[in-house]
């Protein structure tokens, strides 16, 4: 039982450490702070801590640039994301027509 307790304590400490460090500024892109449920962002499986590098094939380094890029195609979003772990991935989804501001993200630069 002691080994299990130690393992759980180590895992909990690691989780707390990661939870306190993912929100830091980034030199490129914009970091996701929160994803609202049942939104296009949630359907794209975007996660807090991810960094959006491009949107609709445009480099984005601010929230304003991100929403301008979303307006290039009012019904579709294609993003290149660097995960908190450092992996690159592509995510895409239909978005609410004429409402790019309702993608479901809270962002931080």
């Amino acid at each position: 039982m002691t080994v299990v307790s130690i393992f759980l304590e180590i895992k909990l400490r690691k989780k707390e450490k990661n939870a306190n460090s993912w929100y830091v500024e980034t030199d490129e892109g914009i970091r996701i702070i929160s994803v609202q449920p049942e939104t296009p962002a949630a359907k794209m499986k975007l996660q807090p801590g991810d960094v959006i590098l491009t949107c609709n094939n445009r480099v984005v380094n601010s929230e304003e640039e991100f929403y301008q890029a979303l307006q290039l195609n009012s019904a579709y979003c294609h993003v290149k994301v660097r995960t908190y772990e450092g992996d690159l991935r592509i995510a895409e989804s239909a978005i609410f027509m004429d409402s790019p501001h309702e993608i479901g993200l809270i962002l931080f630069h």
Side-chain angles (χ1 to χ4, degrees):
M1 189 70 169
T2 305
V3 174
V4 173
S5 298
I6 293 170
F7 174 76
L8 291 174
E9 181 68 25
I10 291 170
K11 190 171 182 173
L12 178 63
R13 286 184 184 183
K14 184 177 179 183
K15 184 177 180 179
E16 287 174 353
K17 180 182 174 189
N18 287 342
N20 293 327
S21 63
W22 64 262
Y23 61 88
V24 297
E25 280 190 62
T26 181
D27 292 336
E28 61 179 334
I30 47 178
R31 188 169 307 276
I32 298 171
I33 298 289
S34 180
V35 178
Q36 297 173 347
E38 299 180 29
T39 61
K43 291 176 186 171
M44 288 188 281
K45 298 185 174 54
L46 298 176
Q47 299 290 319
D50 289 350
V51 175
I52 298 173
L53 302 170
T54 67
C55 176
N56 293 338
N57 297 315
R58 280 208 175 159
V59 173
V60 293
N61 288 303
S62 70
E63 191 171 350
E64 182 180 332
E65 290 176 352
F66 175 69
Y67 286 108
Q68 287 174 354
L70 276 176
Q71 292 175 359
L72 294 173
N73 186 339
S74 63
Y76 182 74
C77 178
H78 174 93
V79 293
K80 180 178 175 184
V81 176
R82 184 178 60 238
T83 66
Y84 180 72
E85 293 79 22
D87 299 324
L88 293 177
R89 72 180 192 89
I90 301 295
E92 51 193 1
S93 176
I95 59 176
F96 303 126
M97 187 66 122
D98 298 324
S99 297
H101 58 281
E102 294 181 16
I103 192 164
L105 293 174
I106 298 173
L107 304 168
F108 180 76
H109 175 72

